[in-house]
Amino acid sequence: MELQQNLGFRAAEEELAGVVDHIIFAAGDGAFSVFRMRMDGQGKCTATVKGVAPLVGQEVHLVGSWVTHPRFGRQFQAVRMHVSAPTSAGGIERFLASGTINGIGPAMARRIVERFGAESLAIIERAPSRLKEISGIGPKTVEKIVASYMRQSELRDIMLWLEEHGVSGTYAARIFKAYGSLAVEVMEKSPYRLAQEIDGIGFITADTIAIAAGWEKNSTARIAAGLSYELTQISSGGHCCIPEGMLADRAAQRLGVMRSEVMEVIGREVKMSRLYAVDEMGERLIYSPQLYKAEEETARLLRMLQRKAEHIHVDEAGMLVSAWEAEHNVNLAAAQREAVIASLEHGVLVLTGGPGTGKTTVVRSIIDILGAQGLEIMLAAPTGRAAKRLAEATGYPAATVHRMLEAQGREDGEMRFARDAETQLEADVIIVDEVSMMDIVLMQHLLTAVLPGAHVILVGDVDQLPAVGPGSVLKDILRSGVIPSVRLTEIFRQNNTGTIVLNAHAINAGRVPSFTEADFSFATAVSSEDAAAQIVTICTRLLRAGTDLMDMQVLSPMRREACGVDMLNRSLQAALNPPASDKPEAVGFRLGDKVMQIKNNYQKKVFNGDTGRIIDIDADRLTVRFEGSLTADYEASELSELAPAYAMSVHKSQGSEYPVIILPLLPGHRIMLQRNLLYTAVTRAKERVILLGSRAALRTAVENDRTRRRYTLLAERLAEALEG
């Protein structure tokens, strides 16, 4: 059986043919493989291919080019691969001896080939009972061999089906793992299930498979799947919903169908409660079921908690605050006193303010005063760094929101937590910091787990960037005017971080910051390449001067170009952690690298945004030590969960603080030159801010206070609840 993997075509291609000798590496998701092959009359070579590894003993025909790897030397990089089952007795023996087929080892493979020769595979496939002619093979072993061989055969069938329909065989292993022998049937009859059920296969790939399988472009199921995909894309941009007309336009363009056909399917999906529609301010807004529920539940729970909070029986709250001030030699400002007293009186309270305005002091006083009343208090923040910072600032244990809720993983595409409506948090008071980072779904899960009668205090800076996920929770709660809130504006912190704090507030007010050599500096860069080179030099000097790698953080508004996150990571890795004979590597990662987790992994208990360093690499795995001394092992198939973290986006830095922040600002950053982005970046620094680039770009960022509208209705739902 022959199959073809179309892996993309590049110039200067050559052709190689041979037999697979052994597999060096095969990613668990089938995305990449490395193998040794015996070339026809030319010895052995190493070959790489983006896709599922062939089997030992198979005959392969490769198209590609020779490259030199900095560590592994000369190898053939294939862009296309033809694979055939082994036909020679020697090839069949190597195939059977490879361990690919359960029940057959090298000795057994030799006996089978000695008995059946080039017909060995045909015997296994068509007359397996004859295997009992071989010494050492009984009925149970025959069953094991046949079952294993059929699995390999089914995988080859899936790959062949995909290639025959113009789809990369890269996905074959994942599809086979999910559906087994039913895989081809699923791809033909229900291809859009792949996008929902298989990690790494999105709508675009599923749609390619569907069209290849003969699905009509305007089929209702295809349009419905396309609408679901568009809503997912919209939510990744921070929106909870979208105007119906806008959704129809986007879907029609992507799917290549009539707008009227999309509108018809939207109406049908709404009637069947597979989509939800809300009329608000002259617009018909469309939601996915998950986000509709999240928004509705968040509004309901906030009002319920506000209404059902148990009264904290204290005599003269003001006297308690005064006593705390005297004990700690602190004079609270009027707004700070108001916040502490409000925490005693209200079931839900929002405390907001910029850096240096005393939010932490208020939280500390609330903890001390309420704790003295015998109340059980829990502290949390969205990220590990933010939780650690909260614990250090208050002297009270704090966890990430995910850990506090005891995240279990995902089922049916939704997050699951051990702490929920059935098993709620055993706390009288829950304080959550950096709430601006929380999306609507996580907020819903948090509030679901809060006992009716408990007090919830939400703390954050509303002027920072909103959450990466859907919703604008903190801003919407404040906009509603329904939930009691206190905004702190007076600046107190003016010690070693004084310049940073004052400049942050200046930026927030639309003024260009002032610069000092000590803690807030600006370096001119004439181009993106120049800025990137300067950043490498600055980081190298800081490292040599004794600054820990984890204490300096390069931020960038962009992902691509010379001064974007991707290129900066490559440049900084080469400069700060260069290759060496005693530094093992694994698929782009190197021992000692600074890395970030980029997706939640509930089993490892590491979450999106957690940073750490690689402390060990061996043949099968690498180990990362995250902040807080948590270590996690990663197999080759899991490395896609990690990304270099020498540089990161400003969004990814939210909730964290670093002694040193380095940020390029260049005219080429265009739409990313925004006041809230610059403000967020600057407020990540504890000791030093280094800006570099163009003064004009800096002015643009300071002056641009336009923020993109997010389609959310949390504020309106809260107001409706009040009216109701």
Side-chain angles (χ1 to χ4, degrees), residues 197-508:
E197 299 171 359
I198 301 179
D199 190 33
I201 295 183
F203 171 79
I204 302 298
T205 300
D207 193 48
T208 302
I209 292 171
I211 296 298
W215 280 57
E216 295 292 332
K217 271 192 164 186
N218 62 350
S219 70
T220 299
R222 179 173 182 257
I223 294 173
L227 287 168
S228 180
Y229 173 71
E230 289 301 334
L231 287 171
T232 300
Q233 293 297 104
I234 288 158
S235 71
S236 69
H239 304 286
C240 291
C241 53
I242 185 174
E244 183 179 39
M246 194 181 297
L247 175 62
D249 290 339
R250 287 175 58 127
Q253 184 176 2
R254 187 180 300 277
L255 298 172
V257 299
M258 300 290 290
R259 186 179 189 273
S260 58
E261 294 173 320
V262 177
M263 290 293 289
E264 186 178 334
V265 175
I266 291 174
R268 177 178 174 274
E269 294 293 290
V270 169
K271 282 182 182 177
M272 299 180 72
S273 298
R274 290 202 283 251
L275 297 177
Y276 286 82
V278 176
D279 293 318
E280 184 68 37
M281 297 180 66
E283 290 186 299
R284 182 173 164 90
L285 299 166
I286 306 298
Y287 283 83
S288 68
Q290 182 194 26
L291 294 181
Y292 180 83
K293 177 187 174 186
E295 223 176 56
E296 268 211 331
E297 280 293 286
T298 297
R300 184 186 68 80
L301 290 165
L302 281 169
R303 291 308 314 270
M304 182 273 293
L305 290 167
Q306 183 187 43
R307 190 172 60 251
K308 291 192 175 184
E310 293 182 4
H311 182 67
I312 299 173
H313 299 283
V314 297
D315 295 324
E316 296 293 334
M319 290 180 62
L320 282 175
V321 176
S322 297
W324 183 88
E325 288 177 302
E327 183 182 348
H328 293 84
N329 196 27
V330 172
N331 290 317
L332 296 176
Q336 291 177 305
R337 288 179 66 87
E338 180 191 349
V340 179
I341 293 170
S343 72
L344 304 175
E345 297 174 346
H346 300 291
V348 184
L349 174 71
V350 177
L351 174 65
T352 185
T357 56
K359 296 191 299 294
T360 302
T361 302
V362 172
V363 171
R364 260 199 323 262
S365 63
I366 291 171
I367 292 170
D368 291 343
I369 292 170
L370 296 184
Q373 309 304 309
L375 300 179
E376 188 68 31
I377 302 168
M378 297 182 78
L379 271 61
T383 67
R385 266 191 173 260
K388 181 183 178 185
R389 185 159 53 86
L390 180 61
E392 290 171 348
T394 61
Y396 202 87
T400 64
V401 176
H402 282 89
R403 290 189 177 95
M404 183 176 72
L405 297 178
E406 299 174 26
Q408 302 295 293
R410 286 183 176 270
E411 293 178 17
D412 302 323
E414 291 197 21
M415 291 186 290
R416 292 286 183 268
F417 298 91
R419 296 292 181 171
D420 55 16
E422 304 279 322
T423 310
Q424 294 178 301
L425 295 165
E426 296 171 5
D428 303 302
V429 182
I430 295 172
I431 302 173
V432 186
D433 197 12
E434 298 285 358
V435 174
S436 63
M437 296 181 64
M438 291 185 66
D439 64 35
I440 192 71
V441 176
L442 187 57
M443 180 59 74
Q444 175 210 351
H445 284 293
L446 169 66
L447 297 176
T448 300
V450 177
L451 284 165
H455 289 240
V456 177
I457 300 168
L458 304 174
V459 185
D461 184 350
V462 74
D463 294 316
Q464 288 190 24
L465 290 169
V468 175
S472 191
V473 176
L474 181 59
K475 187 175 289 186
D476 283 353
I477 292 174
L478 291 168
R479 184 165 63 88
S480 75
V482 172
I483 303 299
S485 65
V486 177
R487 180 160 190 162
L488 305 178
T489 56
E490 188 175 345
I491 303 171
F492 299 99
R493 197 168 56 188
Q494 296 192 23
N495 45 31
N496 65 323
T497 58
T499 304
I500 296 173
V501 169
L502 292 173
N503 276 333
H505 285 274
I507 291 165
N508 204 32

Side-chain angles (χ1 to χ4, degrees), residues 93 96 103-117 120 133-137:
E93 184 177 338
L96 294 175
I104 301 179
M108 185 66 71
R110 187 165 53 255
R111 291 202 294 273
I112 292 172
V113 174
E114 285 174 353
R115 177 71 179 86
F116 300 117
S120 296
E133 299 172 16
I134 308 296
S135 173
I137 297 183

